[in-house]
Amino acid sequence: MGILNVTPDSFSDGGLFQGEAAARSQAERLVGEGAAILDIGGESTRPGHTPVPAAEEQARVLPVIRALAPGLSVPISIDTYKASTAEVALAAGATIVNDVWGLQREPDIARVAAAHGAPVIVMHNRETIDPAIDIVADMLRFFERSLGIARAAGIPDADIVLDPGIGFGKSWEQHLESLRRLPEIRALGFPLLVGVSRKSLLGRLHDRETRPTDRLHGSLSAHALAATLGADIVRVHDVAAHVDAMRVVDAVMRPETRAWGPSHEDLRMRTCA
C-alpha cells in the first residue's frame, strides 16, 4: 500500500503532494514502483496533529480521487475516520475505507462502507497511552467491538482487514510488543495490515538523530519482520524498496504466491478472503 498524503502537516511528507498535479505525479510514481493499493489521506494523524473539519478534508482528497480513479490500475483507499468523507470519497472512486479509529469514532462509517460494498481496514487506536496494560489484550477487546460494528452494518468478514496501529496510542515498548505478537492478532482469522514506515519509533533505535526520510532501513526491517509474522499488507512511503524486500519474504515464507503486482480482483481475493 503506497501512501499519498495530500496534507500540509503529515510527519514525513506534509505539503509535498498538495494539489492535483503533484498528487497525480506521486500516485503515478508509487503505482509504477509496484504499489498494489493507493492510500489517500487528507488529515494528518501524527502525534499532536490538529483535527480538520470534514469539509476541509474532503476539499483536499476529492479532486485527487476524481482525477486518479478513472485511469488508475490499482484500488484507492480513503484514509479517514469520518463517515461523511468516506461517503463522498467512495462515490468519487475510492473502493476501500481505512479507518484509524477502527469504525469506533464514527460508527456510521461502517454503514457507508457496507452500502458501497467497500472493504474496511480496522486499526487499533487509543485516546491515551497506558504503559501498564497488556497491549495485545487491549487490541483483542478493541477488535471485538469493531467487528461487532462492522457485522451489524452488514460488512462481511471477507471484507475486513485488521491493523495493530503501530505508532498510535502506545508506548515505545508497546509498539515493539505489538509487532512481536502479531501472530496472536493473525489468529483472529483476518488479514493484517502493518504500517511502520518512517515512524519515530524507528528513530529511537538509531544512535543518531534521524529525519523521517532517514528511516528507510528500519522501515524495511520492521515490515519484513511483520510479513514473516503474518502481515499481508504493508503501508509504506518507499514502494520500490519495499517491493524488492517483500519479494524476498514471499519467496522464502510464501513460495506459493506468485510475483507481486496483483490486479484489483486478485488483491481482494488475497487480502480479504
Side-chain angles (χ1 to χ4, degrees), residues 77-187:
S77 168
I78 177 62
D79 182 358
T80 187
Y81 57 86
K82 299 184 182 73
S84 62
T85 298
E87 178 75 68
V88 295
L90 292 170
T95 56
I96 301 169
V97 174
N98 181 13
D99 184 350
V100 299
W101 282 103
L103 312 180
Q104 295 186 36
R105 179 59 65 86
E106 293 192 14
D108 196 48
I109 198 170
R111 178 199 59 78
V112 170
H116 286 268
V120 293
I121 298 166
V122 174
M123 197 193 84
H124 174 266
N125 209 336
R126 289 180 54 84
E127 293 281 2
T128 58
I129 296 172
D130 183 353
I133 65 172
D134 180 331
I135 195 63
V136 174
D138 190 74
M139 282 186 207
L140 296 179
R141 290 190 295 270
F142 181 96
F143 287 140
E144 183 178 2
R145 293 192 297 272
S146 294
L147 290 170
I149 293 169
R151 288 163 176 160
I155 300 173
D157 282 7
D159 277 354
I160 299 172
V161 176
L162 303 182
D163 177 352
I166 308 300
F168 291 81
K170 302 169 184 66
S171 69
W172 184 73
E173 292 80 5
Q174 287 171 336
H175 295 316
L176 302 183
E177 184 78 2
S178 300
L179 284 171
R180 188 179 303 118
R181 296 172 63 186
L182 279 178
E184 295 176 50
I185 308 168
R186 193 65 171 86

Side-chain angles (χ1 to χ4, degrees), residues 5-15 41-46 237:
N5 290 317
V6 289
T7 60
D9 57 344
S10 290
F11 80 95
S12 177
D13 53 8
E43 177 180 353
S44 172
T45 51
R46 62 179 173 78
H237 298 86

